[in-house]
Amino acid sequence: MRERTGKALKTVSVKSQARWMVLILFYLMLLCMFGFICTMHVFAENTNIEEQIADMEDLTAMDVVNDMKIGWNLGNTLDATKSSADIDDDPSVFETAWGNPVVTQELIDAVLDAGFNVVRIPVTWTGHFGNAPDYTITESWLDRVQEVVDYAYDKGVYVIINMHHEEWNEPYYDNEETACEIMAALWSQIAERFADYDEHLIFEAQNEPRKKGTDVEWTGGDQEGWDVVNATNQAFVDTIRAAGGCNPYRMLMIPDYAANSSVALQYLTVPDDDRIIVSVHAYEPYNFALNTEGTDVWNNDTAAIDTLMSTLKELFLDNGIPVIIGEFGAVNKDNEAERAEWAAYYLNAAKEIGVPCIWWDNGAVIGNGERFGLISRYMYRCVFPDLLEAMMDAVG
């Protein structure tokens, strides 16, 4: 009896060992397969990035700009600010702070269906990063920015992200060093997050850097302002070019002081880099396009538009430097027919010199003030079809 029991125990022990060996071999095979899959995934990713880089190496900023037709701004959304909000609050708290709803894929689809092939996404980073020396951007904010970028980028259109309402970025000599430091710290993090995005994602250094509340805020600036804006632009370019992935070949946009469309353009320093695009904002003529107390009749007032295009051509286009009018538009004064005629002329004039334009849409359709809303953020459709038709006809 004991002998049989011992044999039985030995048999059970051998069987158990065999099972364990099978299990161990099985798990080893799984680990090997997992490692192989991960290796192949990394290899595929690296191969994809290498292919993207090879494609981007052959592109210039002029090539990309020439592929653009017309753009649309997602204004007053990711660029909105809320002083009472905490850095760790959900991104939607900031995104909806100025009255617009949370952005959806459906909204971006409506924009693209309307005919736009460029989406500019203004982003404010103030309130979303920590203290010196790292200035670490909140992960949840970076995640949300990337999610909105992907709504358009995944559809194959051009996407522009920038730094918009930044309280740390006023152009004074005594702020230059700190501003360049923060500029580099923030853009290095953004560049890392989007390192594998191809030429369809464009970085824009800053929005309208200016001396707020001064006599020169909107009049073209002064020597100090021009110098500091040139310095922060250069810090931005140096940071992106030193980053990994596709960033050394990425198309970059830089503005002059306040993104001014006249005086300050004369003092903009454009780095020696054929992947640089000049960014200008131009609501012309002012009394019709931007001044809410101005006229609601365009009256074929072409002088300011003609001067703008002539200036851009002479300063930049004739010298091989591409330009994007990153913001343009005409305030709704219950004058759609007038705005349609104006838009047709404006866009035709820009098209003649090879400058794509991006409509400033702040979501405001009703009420008072700067009503630039074009695509309803709630109904996902254009609320001024005649104006849209005139715009699309002009860019053809």
Side-chain angles (χ1 to χ4, degrees), residues 87-99:
I87 190 172
D88 293 320
D89 282 345
D90 187 87
S92 62
V93 172
F94 299 89
E95 188 174 342
T96 60
W98 290 358

Side-chain angles (χ1 to χ4, degrees), residues 7 11 22 56 62 66 74 98 129 176 182 261 350 355 379:
K7 287 180 179 178
T11 302
V22 170
M56 293 173 74
M62 193 68 80
N66 287 340
L74 181 64
W98 290 358
F129 63 86
E176 180 178 331
I182 299 174
S261 60
V355 174
M379 296 181 290

Side-chain angles (χ1 to χ4, degrees), residues 97-111:
W98 290 358
N100 282 315
V102 167
V103 182
T104 63
Q105 181 69 64
E106 289 76 13
L107 172 62
I108 301 304
D109 288 347
V111 171

Side-chain angles (χ1 to χ4, degrees), residues 80-81 94 123-129 141 165-168 186:
T81 60
F94 299 89
V123 182
T124 294
W125 303 90
T126 292
H128 301 285
F129 63 86
W141 187 246
H165 300 295
E166 309 299 341
E167 299 303 321
W168 49 270
L186 297 182

